[in-house]
Amino acid sequence: IGMKSEFPDQALRVNLAAHYTTVDDFQANSFSGTGFVLQNAGELETYGAELEVFWQPAENTTVTLAYAYSIADFKEFEKGGCYVAYTFHTGQDDPGRVNPTDGACDRSGDRIDSNPEHYATLGLKQELYLADGIEGYVFGEYTYIGDMVLDQNQDPYKTEDSYGLLNLRAGVHFEEYDIDLTVWGRNVLDENYKRTTYDVPLQDGKLMTYPSDPRTYGITLNKNF
């Protein structure tokens, strides 16, 4: 269910949406340490809301805002993966293991991996008149990503705290030559965060992870023919 609305006098557009979904016989693909295992996770439940705002407070100024609230849980998943690294280092067994000899753990009620509950982004663009046939702009975008678990087995060592990313961009368009010159920076604050994390095959207690992209700067030149 949703709403799309425009307020011309305020140069404002607002979109709202709410959703609820259940999935039966959801297929979960998890890494066991020696290979990938396709499992029938039973029932999945997700719900949330989304907001989009587009505002033009001045002729050459644009503000955009997007926010998503998303809850996604395994409503039923009795034979999911179990802690590996956390149990190895702490000696504490997975609370989802019903019997000590069970090779699977009950993940019912746990979060879906790689799904932040909160996600928001704020953007500001200012267009500039530089000279006849030459226009420019500056753009800044800040994105907030909430905390999340990084693997289906919910290992406490496979989590990522919330973090924010700042991207900046400035460009010039030369109309006569149909050339765009852009100077950009990504992850300007050099935020360090983890992405996919998994257990090392045949080496209990060890984890591998894909690191984030570091602070990056560049210049891009585009020419249309």
Side-chain angles (χ1 to χ4, degrees):
I1 185 172
M3 177 192 75
K4 294 182 181 292
S5 59
E6 293 191 358
F7 305 90
D9 292 341
Q10 291 77 31
L12 179 67
R13 180 186 302 130
V14 178
N15 299 329
L16 289 168
H19 62 86
Y20 175 82
T21 304
T22 59
V23 180
D24 291 327
D25 298 325
F26 178 77
Q27 298 294 308
N29 196 21
S30 62
F31 188 72
S32 65
T34 56
F36 287 93
V37 179
L38 184 64
Q39 299 167 293
N40 189 335
E43 189 172 358
L44 172 72
E45 180 181 55
T46 176
Y47 59 91
E50 297 178 358
L51 167 69
E52 292 181 342
V53 177
F54 177 91
W55 181 39
Q56 195 167 9
E59 183 177 356
N60 296 322
T61 305
T62 303
V63 179
T64 56
L65 169 68
Y67 170 72
Y69 172 69
S70 176
I71 298 295
D73 298 326
F74 291 112
K75 195 171 182 179
E76 181 184 347
F77 193 1
E78 296 180 354
K79 294 184 179 181
C82 299
Y83 299 174
V84 178
Y86 184 79
T87 299
F88 180 89
H89 289 285
T90 67
Q92 299 181 32
D93 198 7
D94 192 319
R97 197 188 309 271
V98 179
N99 299 305
T101 57
D102 288 347
C105 293
D106 190 351
R107 298 267 71 99
S108 300
D110 287 338
R111 296 172 61 182
I112 302 297
D113 56 285
S114 303
N115 180 74
E117 292 185 1
H118 302 279
Y119 180 93
T121 180
L122 175 66
L124 175 63
K125 182 178 181 180
Q126 178 66 51
E127 297 178 352
L128 306 168
Y129 171 79
L130 302 177
D132 289 341
I134 303 177
E135 297 180 346
Y137 73 90
V138 291
F139 175 77
E141 179 185 57
Y142 183 81
T143 300
Y144 170 85
I145 299 97
D147 65 280
M148 68 185 90
V149 295
L150 300 177
D151 188 68
Q152 172 268 116
N153 74 355
Q154 310 289 312
D155 192 312
Y157 286 162
K158 299 179 183 177
T159 60
E160 180 55 60
D161 294 332
S162 59
Y163 58 92
L165 299 176
L166 177 64
N167 299 320
L168 300 175
R169 188 165 69 245
V172 179
H173 176 67
F174 300 91
E175 183 177 353
E176 180 179 356
Y177 305 102
D178 206 2
I179 288 178
D180 290 297
L181 178 64
T182 305
V183 179
W184 50 265
R186 288 194 285 266
N187 192 11
V188 174
L189 302 178
D190 201 23
E191 186 74 27
N192 185 20
Y193 58 95
K194 302 186 298 292
R195 295 187 289 181
T196 302
T197 302
Y198 58 93
D199 297 290
V200 176
L202 305 178
Q203 299 182 58
D204 289 354
K206 290 188 178 181
L207 294 171
M208 293 287 287
T209 188
Y210 290 95
S212 57
D213 294 329
R215 180 191 295 123
T216 308
Y217 297 104
I219 298 176
T220 302
L221 179 66
N222 288 326
K223 165 63 177 160
N224 294 320
F225 297 94

